[in-house]
Amino acid sequence: MIDYLQKLSLRERNLLLGGMSLLLCLGLYAFAYAPLIDGQKKLDAALANQQQLKIFLTSLNAEVAQLRQNQAEQPADDGQSPLAIIDASSSQLDIKPCIKQIVSEDPASPHLGLEKCNFDKLAAWLAVLQKQNGFSVKQIQLNREPATLGQVSGKLVLSR
């Protein structure tokens, strides 16, 4: 190879070195710089999409918060009396057999007497009453049933 280069004239050597340097620059551009630029463009596009998604989700979050606040302020009231709502929901969640006494001095604040009620079902029922009908527990007094595991008896005062 050295012999070949020495046989070339000065002008041919300069042309050969210039062509090799040009080829080296084009190779570096094609195999190193261009992929980096393409990757940067893809990242910029992905970032723009993520920012648009963030803006959309932020606006959606505000809308959902507003709807939840409106729903919490206005519980579902379809004209039923509180006792009818308690009766229907207790039947659906299998709590009705546990309710032994309902005293309703004020229809919006019934007093319930419970006996041998499954605590997990009672908690789920109270959550449904609160979420769907706007009832809250004003006062609760529960005692564990010693004979059976997971069952309670006691008194419950609801308010709406």
Side-chain angles (χ1 to χ4, degrees):
M1 181 79 141
I2 295 174
D3 289 336
Y4 176 74
L5 289 175
Q6 287 178 350
K7 290 180 184 177
L8 295 176
S9 68
L10 182 60
R11 181 174 179 241
E12 290 172 338
R13 273 190 240 153
N14 287 338
L15 281 174
L16 185 61
L17 287 174
M20 285 177 38
S21 60
L22 181 64
L23 187 60
L24 179 66
C25 289
L26 290 175
L28 285 174
Y29 176 78
F31 293 110
Y33 186 71
L36 288 175
I37 296 298
D38 289 342
Q40 183 65 37
K41 287 179 183 177
K42 288 177 184 176
L43 286 175
D44 289 340
L47 180 63
N49 287 337
Q50 291 293 327
Q51 287 174 338
Q52 288 176 348
L53 181 62
K54 180 186 174 203
I55 291 169
F56 172 73
L57 290 176
T58 302
S59 67
L60 192 62
N61 184 30
E63 186 177 339
V64 166
Q66 180 66 31
L67 289 173
R68 282 185 179 164
Q69 183 180 8
N70 290 344
Q71 183 181 16
E73 290 173 359
Q74 301 172 353
D77 188 11
D78 52 1
Q80 290 183 335
S81 72
L83 296 177
I85 293 171
I86 290 171
D87 186 50
S89 64
S90 65
S91 295
Q92 289 174 349
L93 295 174
D94 199 27
I95 298 290
K96 192 170 184 175
C98 302
I99 300 174
K100 299 300 180 187
Q101 179 183 16
I102 298 178
V103 178
S104 180
E105 298 161 359
D106 178 16
S109 183
H111 297 249
L112 304 168
L114 303 171
E115 288 183 13
K116 296 181 182 176
C117 186
N118 184 303
F119 180 77
D120 294 334
K121 287 182 181 180
L122 177 64
W125 177 61
L126 291 174
V128 166
L129 277 177
Q130 190 272 329
K131 189 172 188 177
Q132 293 179 355
N133 300 300
F135 281 96
S136 63
V137 176
K138 190 174 184 181
Q139 185 179 11
I140 189 167
Q141 178 186 355
L142 297 176
N143 297 316
R144 182 173 57 109
E145 286 289 324
T148 52
L149 186 65
Q151 289 190 349
V152 294
S153 294
K155 296 178 183 178
L156 180 66
V157 179
L158 299 174
S159 66
R160 191 163 190 201

